[in-house]
Each structure stands twice: as C-alpha cells, then as structure tokens.
Amino acid sequence: MAAPNDFRILILLVIFSTSLSSETSHRLPLVINTWAFTNSTQAAWNNVISSSGNYLDAVEIGCSVCEILQCDGSVGFGGSPDERGETTLDAVIMDGETHDVGGVGDLRRIKQAISVARSVMKHTKHTLLVGESATQFSISLGFKETDLRTAESISLWKKWKSSNCQPNFWHNVRPDPLKSCGPYSPSTAQFEQSLRYNKHTDERHHDTIGMIVIDDKQRIAGGTSTNGAIHKIPGRVGDSPIAGAGVYVDSDAGGAAATGDGDLMMRFLPSFRAVEYLKQGYTPSEAGRMAILPIIKKYPSFSGALIVTDINGNFGAACHGFDGHFPFSVRNPENKAVKVFQVQCS
C-alpha cells in the first residue's frame, strides 16, 4: 500500500532514518531484540525451537539472560541508580495471540523483573503492578528479596551527588535544579512552558532490551526489561512496561519494540503505531520510520529506536538521535548464528 501523500512529503522533508537496504523474507521462527545483546537472542532461540519450549517462555528466558548479565548496565540489578542510589526495575511481557499483558514497574529488591511480569500475567487478572506492592506480590510467589545495588552503582550514585546531582529530571522548582541537589519545592516564578524530555538519553543510556519472538506457527510474543533512566526521581516508571509504548505484538500483523527516551516514548505509543502501520500494508522498516516521525516532529533532539517485524518474519528497524548506528540482534533459520544488523540514525 502506498504511503499517503502527506506522509510522503514528511518523509522526504525529514530524512531521519536509513533502514535496511531491503526487506528480506525470512522463515520462521524468529527472535529479534534491540541492541547487540546476542546472548539473550540465542537463549530465546534455543527455547523457541526446542520441543518443550514456546514463544512466551522464549521471551521470558531471553530477557532473563540480559537481567543476569546486566546488559550494558541498563538491564537488571546494579545499574541506573535513582536519586536515592537505589536500582529499580521495569518489565513487561505480552502475548500477541490473546493480548494478555503482564507488567511490573518500579520493582524494588527483586532481580527477576521479566519473570515477575510473567507472574502478573499468569497469576492475576491485572495488567501492571508497581512499586513496593509489586515487591510484596513477588515475595508472596516465592521470589527472593535482595539488594539490587552493587559497588559500581553506589560509586556511580556518589559521583553524581558530588557533582551537584547533574543531570537530573526536576523542572520548575527551587532551588535551581541545574545547580543544586535540593530538596526542592515548587517554583513561585511563572510556570515555564518548555519541552520536557531527557537531553542526556543517547547510546550510552539506551536502557532497555526489547524482544519479539515468533514461533513456526506464527504465534508471537514480546517483552522488555530495564533498570530505567539513570538518576531518575524515585517512583518513576518508563515506557518499557507499558503495552503499546515499550512493546506491542498482534498475531494479525506482527510486533514492535522500542528503546531510548522512555518518557517521550510513552507519550506517543510508537510500538502500537508501528503495528497499526503493518496492518495497513507497510513494510517493517516503513512502519518503524513512520511511528517515530510524530516524536521527531515535536522533539527534534529526541533519541530512540524501534525494531519491527511482520507476522511472516520480515523485519526492519528505524532510529533517530543516537550517534552513528543502532544495532539489533536477529536469529532465524536463514542465519545459522545470531546476526547483528545495524540501521543508520539521523
């Protein structure tokens, strides 16, 4: 299906991503995830092709590997300390067959965030649990409580504190958050109506594994896991555990997963948008580019990326704001090992 004229004009005027040179048809099953987290890709693949595995298990296992390995310090324990020096976790898992979703946000003192999200799906009629109550839910199901801080994360937090808590996420408060650690109170000055986003999100703060698995029967699942934005205000939940923002899958079309500035992603639901474009007949790369376009229009300095796959295993990606290229990992029958693809970012 051809793009509407207005989108053609916008895409020509705003060249924000050079995706794969062409869409290549791949046989199923398929595992695709953000970044070069290849151990997670392979672990998910091993499960989805095993006689006892399934697509949901594969997503949980793949994301769990990243949590254990603390992928780039942005997933799992010991990374991204908040303003109090605590590491908290966000995760989600979604079944594209039923649209069941289990998510957890601001999870404290429990390492297995993706497995807790799966437990929300399996053992409750809810979609998302957050904060201290999510921790108590986890403990009630047998998850072990443990300190998520490490010597490295504590050192990172102390360095931030000694640098006047820069950068931080406060806005329209006093004392000046650009110069002070607070405590803060609302500013009495006229409310500053400025763009609210994290200017420090880049490829060094990419903060998420997003994974999509399609089995050989075209059953699809997606998931994410992250320790969120570094130096975030305690209680913050990002886009990762929000269906439609961090990830979205639909057995009628395909799936998408996002990484980057989560506070912006959740305002635009790019993963949901991308899957809707797949339903309209666009290729995965086209769907990813078009889903990111509204964010770029409002926030030209935004940094983020999407991986997208249709239900037949054709895949693509799009990105904006990261320096150079955005890598993503793929395993399918035509690649005899995990392969890292790259897409150039504007």
Side-chain angles (χ1 to χ4, degrees), residues 238-250:
D239 68 313
S240 296
I242 309 300
V247 70
Y248 196 79
V249 289
D250 188 327

Side-chain angles (χ1 to χ4, degrees), residues 57-322:
D57 292 341
V59 169
E60 181 180 357
I61 289 170
C63 290
S64 292
V65 167
C66 234
E67 292 172 348
I68 294 167
L69 296 178
Q70 302 168 278
C71 286
D72 282 357
S74 63
V75 181
F77 69 100
S80 299
D82 66 14
E83 286 191 342
R84 293 195 293 243
E86 184 177 9
T87 293
T88 60
L89 307 178
D90 297 341
V92 76
I93 189 165
M94 180 173 184
D95 185 344
E97 296 295 299
T98 63
H99 282 213
D100 279 349
V101 175
V104 63
D106 189 31
L107 179 66
R108 306 169 188 180
R109 304 185 305 282
I110 304 292
K111 285 186 176 182
Q112 303 91 342
I114 188 66
S115 294
V116 174
R118 182 83 183 275
S119 293
V120 173
M121 175 191 282
K122 289 166 57 177
H123 301 300
T124 82
K125 296 179 181 178
H126 297 309
T127 297
L128 178 66
L129 299 180
V130 299
E132 192 65 38
S133 294
T135 300
Q136 296 309 311
F137 166 80
S138 307
I139 293 170
S140 74
L141 293 180
F143 290 92
K144 182 180 178 181
E145 187 175 12
T146 186
D147 192 345
L148 300 186
R149 298 175 300 172
T150 62
E152 183 178 356
S153 70
I154 292 171
S155 174
L156 187 62
W157 174 70
K158 288 180 176 179
K159 182 178 179 181
W160 175 76
K161 291 285 285 186
S162 67
S163 301
N164 292 323
C165 302
Q166 301 302 310
N168 62 56
F169 290 88
W170 289 90
H171 184 67
N172 290 324
V173 294
R174 60 178 185 181
D176 186 351
L178 297 178
K179 301 177 182 178
S180 169
C181 290
Y184 304 108
S185 61
S187 173
T188 57
Q190 185 176 358
F191 181 73
E192 182 185 348
Q193 196 71 32
S194 59
L195 294 178
R196 297 169 53 250
Y197 74 104
N198 180 15
K199 298 177 182 179
H200 304 281
T201 297
D202 56 23
E203 72 278 4
R204 294 174 297 278
H205 301 93
H206 43 70
D207 77 6
T208 308
I209 180 172
M211 175 175 285
I212 302 166
V213 172
I214 310 175
D215 70 10
D216 56 4
K217 297 179 177 64
Q218 294 187 309
R219 295 176 298 189
I220 184 170
T224 70
S225 184
T226 181
N227 51 39
I230 189 170
H231 310 313
K232 59 193 173 188
I233 297 171
R236 183 260 190 186
V237 174
D239 68 313
S240 296
I242 309 300
V247 70
Y248 196 79
V249 289
D250 188 327
S251 60
D252 291 333
T259 185
D261 188 336
D263 288 291
L264 286 185
M265 292 288 197
M266 73 172 73
R267 302 175 200 172
F268 290 86
L269 301 178
S271 295
F272 175 77
R273 287 176 183 262
V275 173
E276 289 300 297
Y277 285 128
L278 290 176
K279 291 180 180 180
Q280 296 174 35
Y282 295 98
T283 67
S285 291
E286 290 169 342
R289 290 195 296 265
M290 291 168 67
I292 291 179
L293 187 60
I295 311 178
I296 298 170
K297 183 178 179 181
K298 294 288 186 181
Y299 298 89
S301 299
F302 140 85
S303 293
L306 278 177
I307 55 169
V308 187
T309 176
D310 67 25
I311 199 63
N312 297 311
N314 302 301
F315 60 84
C319 61
H320 179 81
F322 294 128

Side-chain angles (χ1 to χ4, degrees), residues 18-21 317 319 324-328 340-345:
T18 302
S19 189
L20 298 176
S21 59
C319 61
H325 296 78
F326 162 64
F328 59 101
V340 177
F341 291 83
Q342 295 198 51
V343 57
Q344 185 176 350
C345 303

